[in-house]
């Protein structure tokens, strides 16, 4: 399934190219990327869950796009604990993150990536910025992505006026969530 890119138009989100209003219908899937990274995760832990969510939506009369809110890192006290280094290769690339987002997109889901507990993993604003840049580089041309610099930045030591995702360009502009 090919999902259209989404862009901001004033106060609204619209499908790129059609200007059809996009309604953000989302579900918390905080641990889904962590599940993806587990042995047999895509087949055993992600695919069945996506099918169940889609089935429930269809049974409820909704057949539109669904946005999955997924953490890309969180501290050990969370059930969805995930280290930011768990999927970053030594060269700074993140092919597992990209593969996960592509997999979800192929099944008709948008992914809203956020981060939690940044103060536990990063020692400076520049370290956080580097992680944001690496994530964005992995996702740059995917149409099914929303990106949140950080969940609750006031708690997580992030100044969102300093740490900003890079601009992806006019063909696929970055949709940045508020924290």
């Amino acid at each position: 399934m090919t999902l259209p890119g989404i862009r901001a138009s004033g106060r609204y989100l619209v499908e790129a190219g059609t200007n059809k209003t996009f309604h953000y219908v989302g579900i918390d899937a905080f641990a889904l990327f962590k599940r993806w990274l587990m042995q047999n995760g895509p087949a055993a832990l992600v695919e069945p869950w996506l099918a169940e969510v889609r089935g429930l939506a269809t049974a409820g009369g909704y057949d539109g796009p669904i946005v999955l809110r997924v953490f890309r890192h969180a501290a050990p006290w969370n059930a969805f604990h995930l280290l930011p280094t768990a999927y970053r290769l030594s060269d700074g690339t993140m092919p597992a993150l990209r593969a996960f987002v592509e997999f979800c997109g192929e099944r008709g889901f948008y992914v809203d990536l956020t981060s939690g507990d940044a103060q536990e993993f990063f020692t400076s604003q520049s370290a956080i910025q580097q992680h944001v840049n690496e994530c964005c580089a992995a996702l740059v041309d995917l149409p099914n992505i929303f990106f949140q610099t950080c969940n609750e930045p006031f708690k997580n030591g992030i100044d969102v006026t300093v740490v900003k995702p890079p601009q992806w360009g006019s063909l696929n502009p970055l949709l940045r969530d508020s924290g």
Side-chain angles (χ1 to χ4, degrees):
M1 171 181 283
T2 303
L3 294 172
I6 305 300
R7 64 178 184 80
S9 178
R11 298 181 337 184
Y12 301 96
L13 297 175
V14 297
E15 291 182 5
T18 68
N19 289 331
K20 178 182 171 189
T21 301
F22 177 85
H23 298 281
Y24 186 115
V25 176
I27 184 170
D28 290 338
F30 296 146
L32 203 59
F33 184 48
K34 177 181 179 176
R35 290 177 175 190
W36 174 269
L37 296 171
M38 293 177 179
Q39 184 175 358
N40 299 321
L45 301 172
V46 175
E47 178 99 51
W49 190 85
L50 293 177
E52 180 180 10
V53 168
R54 178 59 63 200
L56 290 169
T58 301
Y62 180 74
D63 66 351
I66 296 172
V67 183
L68 307 170
R69 185 159 182 243
V70 178
F71 274 84
R72 61 183 196 275
H73 57 74
W77 56 80
N78 294 294
F80 42 90
H81 166 240
L82 180 62
L83 298 173
T85 55
Y87 53 93
R88 182 186 180 275
L89 300 182
S90 61
D91 64 359
T93 62
M94 300 180 178
L97 182 64
R98 181 179 180 86
F100 168 74
V101 172
E102 286 177 329
F103 184 88
C104 293
E106 290 165 359
R107 284 145 186 83
F109 292 89
Y110 287 85
V111 177
D112 185 347
L113 284 173
T114 190
S115 66
D117 312 312
Q119 77 279 9
E120 296 296 315
F121 307 116
F122 304 108
T123 57
S124 67
Q125 298 288 319
S126 62
I128 297 168
Q129 184 68 61
Q130 179 180 342
H131 177 75
V132 167
N133 291 349
E134 290 168 350
C135 287
C136 290
L139 306 167
V140 68
D141 58 344
L142 299 179
N144 64 314
I145 190 77
F146 292 80
F147 193 87
Q148 187 180 67
T149 307
C150 183
N151 184 52
E152 300 175 339
F154 57 88
K155 180 184 91 175
N156 288 286
I158 293 181
D159 181 346
V160 295
T161 64
V162 175
V163 178
K164 298 179 181 179
Q167 291 302 308
W168 293 3
S170 60
L171 294 177
N172 189 20
L174 173 65
L175 284 174
R176 180 183 184 198
D177 288 355
S178 65

